[in-house]
Amino acid sequence: ASWYSYPAGTRRTASGEWFDARELTAAHKTLPLPCMAEVTTLENGRSIKVRVNDRGPFVRGRIIDLSRAAADRLGFSDRGVTEVRVKFLGPAPMADSGGNRLAMVDPSASADDIQLY
């Protein structure tokens, strides 16, 4: 695993959600979007649940890119990469507990409106 970041509010994820490095999110090449996954570091055994809402990583040998917050929680943001186990947990909710829509892809949006990384 590695981690990635952009300034908040500047990029949309592959699912159309705004990327926020302070949230527990991730990018994966093939898991359905959006979904939930459990990521466990093999070095220290820490586990977290993340919302997979983006595509990546596009670096050979890496299976998941995590937000800065997720990397901090797992204890590897200072190194940049770590070995992990990823477990698919199922579809992610489309709205938060307050009823606010999380996935925001407009079906009529053009490819220019949705950035894939």
Side-chain angles (χ1 to χ4, degrees):
S2 55
W3 65 270
Y4 71 124
S5 186
Y6 302 103
T10 61
R11 303 253 184 174
R12 289 207 185 247
T13 65
S15 69
E17 301 169 18
W18 285 105
F19 177 80
D20 187 339
R22 300 167 297 183
E23 299 294 328
L24 298 178
T25 60
H28 192 276
K29 293 177 192 171
T30 59
L31 288 175
L33 299 180
C35 73
M36 298 300 294
E38 180 181 75
V39 180
T40 304
T41 56
L42 300 184
E43 177 184 339
N44 61 24
R46 291 183 191 170
S47 290
I48 59 168
K49 292 179 184 174
V50 295
R51 181 181 182 85
V52 180
N53 64 359
D54 208 357
R55 290 293 178 218
F58 300 108
V59 176
R60 178 173 283 206
R62 296 188 190 160
I63 59 170
I64 196 164
D65 263 340
L66 300 168
S67 65
R68 175 66 189 253
D72 286 344
R73 290 261 183 100
L74 291 174
F76 77 94
S77 60
D78 59 331
R79 294 186 312 282
V81 295
T82 192
E83 291 188 15
V84 297
R85 179 178 58 246
V86 178
K87 179 181 177 184
F88 174 71
L89 298 176
M94 298 302 282
D96 65 16
S97 59
N100 298 309
R101 190 164 166 74
L102 295 172
M104 301 179 296
V105 175
D106 179 348
S108 64
S110 72
D112 294 332
D113 296 330
I114 302 170
Q115 297 180 3
L116 303 177
Y117 317 114

